[in-house]
Amino acid sequence: MVSDRSVIESPGATNTGPQTEAVWERREAQELIKPPTPPLKPGSLNGGNEEVNKHMVGEGWVIGFVAEAVEIRRVYSPGLTINNIKQVINETIETNILRKPAPTRLRDLIRQIRACRTAAEERAVVNTECAYIRSTFRETDCIWKCRNMAKLLYIHMLGYPAHFGQVECLKLAASPKYTDKRIGYLGAMLLLDERADVHVLLTNCLKNDLNSSTQFIVGTALCTLAAIASPEMARDLCNDVERLIVSTNAFLRKKAILCAFRFVRRVPELMEDYLPKCEVFLADKNHGILIATITLITEMCEQSGPVLRYFKSIIPTLVRMLKSLTVTGYSPEHLVSGVSDPFLQVKILRLLRVLGRGDPAQSEIMNDVLAQVATSTETSKNAGNAILYETVLTIMNVESENSLRVLAVNILGRFLLNNDKNIRFIGLLTLVKTVHKDMTAVQRHRITILECLSDADPSIQRCAMELSFTLINTQNIEMVVRELLRYLESTDAEMKALCSSKIVLAAETYSPSIHWHLDVLLKILTIAGNHIRDDVISSTIQLISNSPVHEQRFITGKMWQAITNMNQLENRQPLVQVAVWTIGEYAESGGFDEFELIEHYRQLLWAPQLSITTKQYILVSLAKISVRIDGCTPEIQNIINSFRVHLNIDLQQRANEFSQLFGDHKHLRTSLLEKMPKLKLSELTASEYNADFAAEESSDTEQQQQLQQPDVPAPSVEPSNQDILLDLLGDCFSSDGNGNNALAIVPVPQATQSQPYYPTTSFNQNGPTTNNNGPGATGSGDILNLLGLSAQTNALTIYQPPTATPAIPSMDVYQKDDIHIRFFIHPIGAPFEQPTMSPSPARITVQTTNGSHNTIEKFLFQAAVPKSFALTLREPSGSVMPPGGTIMQDLLIVRNNTGAPSTGSGLRMKVRFSYEVENYSMVEQIDVNDFPSDFLR
């Protein structure tokens, strides 16, 4: 202290008494505020800024600060020197005055963005803030990095690009400060994924933090690794995670187990390291560790069949654990809304569902505890409803007793009466998925399901509509269709198209009478308007053509009333098309006033709102009326002649051709415009209509019945391009772009020839369609004459399939997140087309099904095989899967060096597929190693 004082004391001064001590303190304060002599050095008291110096002296805050520092030195820290005080003051000035002002806080940015009234204002605020954040990232000594990164993450959550912050995340994660490290790892989890190459740079930082002595740093690193670990990162860090799994710290052990869950999902071969440890962890008392362990076991069981069989032995342990949670007393540590640890109960139920699927013996062990959970769980809170929902799914997916299935359906029925819309939606969605398990039990809740059609929530309406169509049978069709027509009046345009088509299919399948059927079709045309699909128009015309004469007279009068007494016909053009077709065919039975009829047709033809297609219908109908009703031919001829100069070439051509029938060729008019022959009806059955929920056994039965035909000698020439896959599945209907089942039209065979014919199926983008090469179809000779191949007609032999189709083996490759991928392995040499590879390749048909209620877009399937095989991927049937839709794709595989002895291993395949759902991109990769042992060996 003497050396410090000697700097400012006068010669000859003495150091005696408390007054002298006070003088030294005053002089020290004066020295601190004394303006330094130029030149000033960076880091000095005021940095050479006179304005700042005046501000500091004028405000007097430096004197107060120094006086307080001196007081602290005198009372609390006698070792504090003047140099230390100067350093503190310099750092304070540099931080608060000489540098840039502090950036906007995150809460202030959120307020600014929420205050924006338009999207343009929001973009302006975000762009301004992003520009500032970029500028601070370029600075090396910015002290606001954490704040800026937090704001950037919020901007990223709003959907704006934030990729420029990826490298800054790595820098913060490598910082020794926990506050920086925490925000850096959070940014890495949000801004990085395994497709970004920069995430590999994080591996070394994660490895260092996993070996840290601070549990919070280790826990943060484990959370990040569990969120963004790639296969390469998992292999590099699996040893560190395995070491932490056996840690005595429960906090770290739980996070390490969840990290292992991510590793197993990305690299399935790593699961062997965790199998023995999981059984030990099931005996732990910590619920967090139990939840993490059961999550890991569930993932491993879904990934591998042998692992699933390995863990079947833990079912009694899980049952005891679930029973103890159900009957346990008050436990405030794990109680949620009056339910004992619902999170653990849900995890146990999910694992039981996986372990008991298709195993009656193991399912029998679960029956008692499932019944106990279903009857004793509190239903007034969401926690209890979540447990009941998982219980229902478990009951429906394991081999449970019939009484339990009825109990599960009744629980879902109670869900439909809940005031919470989310619970009602869950109940309907679960019934849609499980209705085929017990149709009788679901029928008891038909009234409640139909009431959901009038719900204000469109999601609930759609689920109720799909479920209602599933419940239709011959006894309740009139009541259900009446409610569906009421729903059709209030729904939106998209749902009108879907609902109207399904009502038409249901009416064709279960119609009690033709009169009722025609009346329903007329109501559909009136209510749905322009939103119905073309199949409704064709189905209606088809039915009218095959109706009795009195029904044709009835519907003709109804159609005439519909187009004369209704306004805004431009919004109901399908109705106009069917009406004018009916009047043109059966006008003689309608009792019309011919002048009123012709005048109304004239108005329709010259209405600018009607489409060209509708006017084509009207023009043809008008020509036919000329031979149905006498006395109106001159008026019809004048109207048709006026269209001979129409701007539309199609209408102009039709008018010119019809005008010839009124002139030089009028003797042909009656024969050319006679009634159309009856159209052949579609063969629709209840099993086809409800094929979405029908068991596979029913399809196999129908296929066997279809193949029960007289024996015919073997064909001399086998046709090419025959895809028998869909015949095997009994899939007689296809799924169009909007997700509804469009049933294939199968003409009724005529008994004119004794030789039988068989329908064959081919696959196109819209699904399987049925082609009938038989007596009722167009003769093949006409087509060959058009192609100049008539000389070969006699050489063709009609293909006669055998009486029994051999079963094509299939294997389930992936079934998760409502995505189901199945491989159909065709025998080598099966006819599909001329092979492009030599030797003959094996064919695998990949069937991908969308089991969700969202449309999947940009679906891309990729596969890779070892170098000992050659793989060719054929063009898929599409890239978009509507709800319930399917995409098919063929894989051609051949083994290389077939001349050498087949001593190599069997076929192994890596499958990678990606898709987008609701603007989120998903990528999954799996290994397929369970091919038949004799396949390609």
Side-chain angles (χ1 to χ4, degrees), residues 304-554:
S304 173
V307 175
L308 175 64
R309 292 188 291 271
Y310 174 84
F311 278 112
K312 283 184 180 293
S313 59
I314 68 171
I315 290 181
T317 303
L318 296 175
V319 169
R320 287 195 303 271
M321 195 183 303
L322 184 60
K323 186 175 295 185
S324 65
L325 289 172
T326 305
V327 301
T328 187
Y330 178 73
S331 177
E333 183 181 357
H334 306 120
L335 206 64
V336 178
S337 299
V339 181
S340 178
D341 203 343
F343 304 101
L344 181 56
Q345 291 193 50
V346 166
K347 291 293 184 181
I348 294 174
L349 288 168
R350 287 181 181 175
L351 182 53
L352 290 175
R353 182 161 72 245
V354 174
L355 295 174
R357 185 181 292 119
D359 192 336
Q362 300 297 336
S363 300
E364 180 68 24
I365 303 175
M366 311 175 191
N367 283 337
D368 292 340
V369 70
L370 290 177
Q372 185 176 0
V373 173
T375 54
S376 62
T377 302
E378 178 65 33
T379 60
S380 60
K381 302 293 183 179
N382 274 343
N385 290 325
I387 295 175
L388 289 176
Y389 170 69
E390 292 295 335
T391 304
V392 169
L393 292 182
T394 304
I395 292 173
M396 289 299 189
N397 283 275
V398 302
E399 304 299 322
S400 56
E401 300 174 350
N402 291 334
S403 58
L404 271 182
R405 296 184 185 275
V406 174
L407 177 61
V409 173
N410 292 337
I411 291 174
L412 296 177
R414 292 203 303 270
F415 280 3
L416 301 184
L417 300 174
N418 199 295
N419 294 327
D420 192 338
K421 293 183 178 181
N422 294 324
I423 296 178
R424 291 206 302 275
F425 176 76
I426 288 296
L428 287 169
L429 191 62
T430 310
L431 283 173
V432 169
K433 293 180 179 180
T434 59
V435 65
H436 62 281
K437 299 288 185 179
D438 196 333
M439 179 69 72
T440 305
V442 179
Q443 285 283 1
R444 300 191 186 101
H445 304 278
R446 184 177 62 249
I447 303 299
T448 307
I449 295 170
L450 293 176
E451 290 176 354
C452 293
L453 290 171
S454 58
D455 196 282
D457 193 316
S459 300
I460 294 177
Q461 290 181 0
R462 177 161 186 164
C463 277
M465 182 198 71
E466 294 181 1
L467 189 56
S468 299
F469 283 115
T470 308
L471 300 178
I472 291 179
N473 54 35
T474 54
Q475 286 76 30
N476 60 23
I477 182 170
E478 296 187 34
M479 180 191 67
V480 175
V481 168
R482 182 168 60 249
E483 297 297 328
L484 289 171
L485 288 174
R486 187 178 295 112
Y487 162 73
L488 189 63
E489 294 178 356
S490 58
T491 189
D492 56 5
E494 181 183 0
M495 294 307 300
K496 280 185 178 180
L498 179 63
C499 184
S500 59
S501 294
K502 289 197 171 186
I503 293 177
V504 170
L505 293 174
E508 289 179 354
T509 308
Y510 303 107
S511 173
S513 65
I514 295 180
H515 185 87
W516 178 88
H517 194 178
L518 291 172
D519 189 55
V520 167
L521 292 178
L522 179 59
K523 290 179 180 178
I524 293 173
L525 292 170
T526 304
I527 295 172
N530 293 342
H531 304 298
I532 66 173
R533 298 171 181 164
D534 293 338
D535 60 332
V536 177
I537 300 175
S538 60
S539 298
T540 306
I541 292 176
Q542 194 179 64
L543 180 63
I544 295 174
S545 171
N546 288 270
S547 299
V549 176
H550 67 279
E551 296 295 347
Q552 291 175 347
R553 186 182 303 112
F554 160 76

Side-chain angles (χ1 to χ4, degrees), residues 456-686:
D457 193 316
S459 300
I460 294 177
Q461 290 181 0
R462 177 161 186 164
C463 277
M465 182 198 71
E466 294 181 1
L467 189 56
S468 299
F469 283 115
T470 308
L471 300 178
I472 291 179
N473 54 35
T474 54
Q475 286 76 30
N476 60 23
I477 182 170
E478 296 187 34
M479 180 191 67
V480 175
V481 168
R482 182 168 60 249
E483 297 297 328
L484 289 171
L485 288 174
R486 187 178 295 112
Y487 162 73
L488 189 63
E489 294 178 356
S490 58
T491 189
D492 56 5
E494 181 183 0
M495 294 307 300
K496 280 185 178 180
L498 179 63
C499 184
S500 59
S501 294
K502 289 197 171 186
I503 293 177
V504 170
L505 293 174
E508 289 179 354
T509 308
Y510 303 107
S511 173
S513 65
I514 295 180
H515 185 87
W516 178 88
H517 194 178
L518 291 172
D519 189 55
V520 167
L521 292 178
L522 179 59
K523 290 179 180 178
I524 293 173
L525 292 170
T526 304
I527 295 172
N530 293 342
H531 304 298
I532 66 173
R533 298 171 181 164
D534 293 338
D535 60 332
V536 177
I537 300 175
S538 60
S539 298
T540 306
I541 292 176
Q542 194 179 64
L543 180 63
I544 295 174
S545 171
N546 288 270
S547 299
V549 176
H550 67 279
E551 296 295 347
Q552 291 175 347
R553 186 182 303 112
F554 160 76
I555 196 61
T556 302
K558 288 287 187 179
M559 289 291 181
W560 170 245
Q561 293 177 8
I563 64 173
T564 54
N565 300 333
M566 190 175 298
N567 297 324
Q568 298 181 348
L569 289 178
E570 65 275 7
N571 297 327
R572 296 179 176 86
Q573 297 196 45
L575 172 63
V576 177
Q577 295 171 11
V578 175
V580 297
W581 182 91
T582 306
I583 294 172
E585 292 293 325
Y586 313 109
E588 75 280 359
S589 60
F592 304 108
D593 183 351
E594 58 268 18
F595 297 104
E596 181 183 359
L597 178 64
I598 301 304
E599 183 61 28
H600 194 67
Y601 265 64
R602 189 196 306 274
Q603 295 176 3
L604 292 176
L605 280 171
W606 289 106
Q609 300 88 351
L610 297 185
S611 65
I612 296 299
T613 303
T614 303
K615 291 182 179 180
Q616 293 169 358
Y617 274 88
I618 298 173
L619 205 59
V620 175
S621 176
L622 194 61
K624 288 193 173 186
I625 290 175
S626 65
V627 299
R628 305 286 190 272
I629 301 178
D630 298 330
C632 58
T633 302
E635 291 81 359
I636 294 176
Q637 186 176 0
N638 291 335
I639 296 175
I640 292 177
N641 288 335
S642 64
F643 275 82
R644 296 177 63 182
V645 293
H646 197 275
L647 294 177
N648 182 268
I649 190 65
D650 186 274
L651 291 177
Q652 183 184 128
Q653 181 179 354
R654 290 173 186 263
N656 278 283
E657 292 174 353
F658 286 145
S659 65
Q660 297 295 322
L661 298 179
F662 290 93
D664 298 337
H665 304 283
K666 59 182 179 181
H667 60 284
L668 300 176
R669 179 158 52 90
T670 303
S671 58
L672 289 176
L673 298 178
E674 64 182 3
K675 291 183 179 180
M676 292 181 63
K678 291 185 177 181
L679 303 176
K680 295 175 182 178
L681 288 172
S682 302
E683 294 181 348
L684 303 177
T685 62

Side-chain angles (χ1 to χ4, degrees), residues 672-808:
L672 289 176
L673 298 178
E674 64 182 3
K675 291 183 179 180
M676 292 181 63
K678 291 185 177 181
L679 303 176
K680 295 175 182 178
L681 288 172
S682 302
E683 294 181 348
L684 303 177
T685 62
S687 60
E688 289 173 340
Y689 175 70
N690 291 324
D692 281 338
F693 310 103
E696 294 182 358
E697 290 78 10
S698 61
S699 299
D700 296 337
T701 303
E702 294 172 8
Q703 186 66 22
Q704 293 175 2
Q705 294 175 355
Q706 188 179 8
L707 293 175
Q708 288 178 356
Q709 301 290 345
D711 293 336
V712 177
S716 60
V717 178
E718 292 188 359
S720 61
N721 299 321
Q722 297 296 325
D723 190 347
I724 63 173
L725 169 63
L726 298 170
D727 280 335
L728 171 70
L729 298 177
D731 205 352
C732 300
F733 62 97
S734 63
S735 178
D736 62 10
N738 291 305
N740 70 309
N741 297 330
L743 297 177
I745 298 176
V746 184
V748 178
Q750 302 290 338
T752 57
Q753 298 181 11
S754 59
Q755 186 176 10
Y757 72 99
Y758 300 90
T760 61
T761 58
S762 62
F763 190 85
N764 55 28
Q765 187 172 359
N766 294 327
T769 57
T770 303
N771 301 322
N772 298 291
N773 301 320
T778 304
S780 61
D782 297 338
I783 299 176
L784 294 175
N785 287 332
L786 292 175
L787 299 176
L789 301 175
S790 58
Q792 302 177 6
T793 304
N794 296 330
L796 296 176
T797 303
I798 297 178
Y799 173 64
Q800 173 62 43
T803 56
T805 302
I808 298 179

Side-chain angles (χ1 to χ4, degrees), residues 200-216:
V200 181
L201 303 175
L202 199 63
T203 304
N204 191 45
C205 181
L206 287 170
K207 188 174 184 65
N208 293 334
D209 289 338
L210 289 177
N211 295 315
S212 174
S213 58
T214 305
Q215 68 168 356
F216 300 108

Side-chain angles (χ1 to χ4, degrees), residues 720-723 763 826 830-848 859-864 870-879 887-894 909:
S720 61
N721 299 321
Q722 297 296 325
D723 190 347
F763 190 85
H826 299 263
F832 57 98
E833 62 179 54
Q834 294 297 329
T836 59
M837 293 184 288
S838 181
S840 179
R843 180 165 64 117
I844 296 177
T845 299
V846 182
Q847 181 189 52
T848 307
F859 182 84
L860 177 62
F861 180 91
Q862 298 171 304
L871 171 65
T872 301
L873 276 71
R874 291 300 180 88
E875 189 73 18
S877 61
S879 61
I887 290 179
M888 309 289 284
Q889 186 172 7
D890 279 344
L891 311 180
L892 304 183
I893 307 175
V894 64
M909 183 181 297

Side-chain angles (χ1 to χ4, degrees), residues 59-124:
E59 295 295 333
W61 70 275
V62 175
I63 297 176
F65 180 86
V66 174
E68 183 179 357
V70 172
E71 181 67 15
I72 292 175
R73 188 201 69 176
R74 184 171 62 85
V75 179
Y76 299 102
S77 180
L80 187 64
T81 65
I82 296 298
N83 290 333
N84 298 138
I85 298 175
K86 287 182 178 181
Q87 183 180 357
V88 172
I89 296 174
N90 284 332
E91 291 179 355
T92 305
I93 294 172
E94 289 180 3
T95 303
N96 295 281
I97 297 177
L98 299 181
R99 295 196 177 187
K100 293 182 180 180
T104 306
R105 293 180 179 272
L106 176 59
R107 67 186 67 178
D108 296 330
L109 176 63
I110 295 175
R111 290 194 187 100
Q112 292 178 20
I113 292 177
R114 289 181 176 177
C116 295
R117 296 184 178 180
T118 62
E121 292 181 12
E122 179 180 306
R123 284 195 299 270

